[in-house]
């Protein structure tokens, strides 16, 4: 049986790593992102099908729905696309940044789930179960200064996921949340700091073994490939050097005593 998965934000970082790992594991992968050139590079040599779309645009979501439904049953959806914009306080934060974070981290997730649920129900009939996995953040669960807009939007995604699990109870559709901590990727911090490479690099400076995209991809694929009666409601993943969003150890990790 061919298993089919949609992965959003597939043009870079966690999304790209996840799409590649699913493909390597024999899944038929549909990768969605805004950047056509990056998706073309992903498709080359992997067999991954791609759809260029902005999931904050209703017409694009409808087009994704139609293209995915045309392929047949959908067995898993990985909502990975998201972002953080700025580190300003509640007092000084730009409302435009907040709106952008809520659009991509919450509203787009809701829109795509609603659009693809019929295909996922077909997948559940086909395989016995289907999966909806949303990548949030430890910021959804723990507040930190400068994170208010991101904290609030990811907390929104966390609650959306929790409510969806209740609403789908009785159907063979697992609802999973993966909440990463510090993950060193090419773009996350760079986008957050408006392209300031020095500030972006400083986030990971002298941190022993921050997580990388492949670490999160492994957790995502593992959760979805578990037996269908096993649901990992919430998976929290941090590097050992990070005890909390605001407590990151810089320098070597050494035993005491």
């Amino acid at each position: 049986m061919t298993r089919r998965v949609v992965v959003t934000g597939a043009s870079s970082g966690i999304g790209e790593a996840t799409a590649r790992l699913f493909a390597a594991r024999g899944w038929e992968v549909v990768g969605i992102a805004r950047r056509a050139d990056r998706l073309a590079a992903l498709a080359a040599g992997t067999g991954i099908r791609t759809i260029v779309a902005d999931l904050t645009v209703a017409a694009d979501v409808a087009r994704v729905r139609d293209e995915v439904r045309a392929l047949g049953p959908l067995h898993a959806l990985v909502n990975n696309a998201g972002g953080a914009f700025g580190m300003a306080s509640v007092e000084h934060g730009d409302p435009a940044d907040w709106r952008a974070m809520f659009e991509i981290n919450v509203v787009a997730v809701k829109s795509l789930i609603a659009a693809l649920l019929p295909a996922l129900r077909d997948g559940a009939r086909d395989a016995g179960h289907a999966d909806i996995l949303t990548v949030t953040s430890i910021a959804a669960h723990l507040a930190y200064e400068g994170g208010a807009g991101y904290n609030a939007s990811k907390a929104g995604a966390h609650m959306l996921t929790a409510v969806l699990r209740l609403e789908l109870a009785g159907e063979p559709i697992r609802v999973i949340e993966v909440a990463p901590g510090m993950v060193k990727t090419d773009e996350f911090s760079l986008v957050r700091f408006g392209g300031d490479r020095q500030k972006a690099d400083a986030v990971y400076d002298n941190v022993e073994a921050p997580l990388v995209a492949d670490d999160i991809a492994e957790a995502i694929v593992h959760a979805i490939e578990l037996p269908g009666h096993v649901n990992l409601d919430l998976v929290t993943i941090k590097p050992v050097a990070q005890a909390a969003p605001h407590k990151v150890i810089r320098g070597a990790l050494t035993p005491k005593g």
Side-chain angles (χ1 to χ4, degrees):
M1 182 187 69
T2 300
R3 295 175 296 177
R4 183 173 296 110
V5 59
V6 166
V7 179
T8 71
S11 62
S12 64
I14 293 170
E16 180 182 357
T18 300
R20 289 185 181 277
L21 184 57
F22 270 120
R25 301 277 294 182
W27 287 68
E28 181 181 313
V29 181
V30 180
I32 299 172
R34 293 175 300 171
R35 293 177 292 183
D37 58 334
R38 297 294 295 266
L39 286 180
L42 173 66
T46 65
I48 293 173
R49 185 187 301 268
T50 62
I51 302 175
V52 178
D54 181 342
L55 298 176
T56 66
V57 176
D60 281 15
V61 173
R63 179 166 50 82
V64 168
R65 175 200 62 207
D66 293 344
E67 291 190 34
V68 171
R69 285 300 299 272
L71 297 174
L74 178 63
H75 302 95
L77 166 62
V78 177
N79 293 302
N80 165 75
F85 308 110
M87 285 283 289
S89 66
V90 173
E91 180 180 7
H92 298 295
D94 185 343
D97 287 340
W98 284 56
R99 291 188 187 98
M101 285 187 278
F102 272 86
E103 283 290 335
I104 188 62
N105 294 334
V106 183
V107 180
V109 172
K110 172 264 182 286
S111 297
L112 193 62
I113 290 171
L116 296 185
L117 258 173
L120 286 160
R121 288 184 170 117
D122 289 343
R125 294 184 188 99
D126 181 53
H129 75 278
D131 292 279
I132 300 170
L133 185 150
T134 299
V135 179
T136 62
S137 168
I138 60 172
H141 306 272
L142 295 166
Y144 59 92
E145 290 176 293
Y150 189 60
N151 285 138
S153 65
K154 284 297 187 179
H158 163 67
M159 292 308 298
L160 181 160
T161 302
V163 172
L164 181 68
R165 190 178 297 116
L166 296 174
E167 292 175 346
L168 295 182
E171 298 189 54
I173 300 176
R174 299 185 297 192
V175 178
I176 303 164
E177 177 183 352
V178 173
M182 176 180 282
V183 184
K184 186 176 184 179
T185 64
D186 292 337
E187 296 187 331
F188 179 83
S189 289
L190 192 64
V191 170
R192 183 169 213 171
F193 291 109
D196 188 321
R197 173 60 68 181
Q198 186 174 2
K199 285 185 178 180
D201 289 345
V203 172
Y204 314 102
D205 185 46
N206 204 27
V207 175
E208 184 174 313
L211 298 177
V212 295
D214 286 339
D215 297 323
I216 311 305
E218 288 280 356
I220 290 169
V221 175
H222 171 71
I224 289 176
E225 289 192 335
L226 283 170
H229 68 287
V230 180
N231 194 89
L232 298 183
D233 284 19
L234 171 62
V235 181
T236 303
I237 313 172
K238 303 193 299 290
V240 176
Q242 183 181 38
H246 60 280
K247 188 173 180 66
V248 177
I249 304 303
R250 300 186 187 275
L253 303 178
T254 58
K256 294 182 179 180

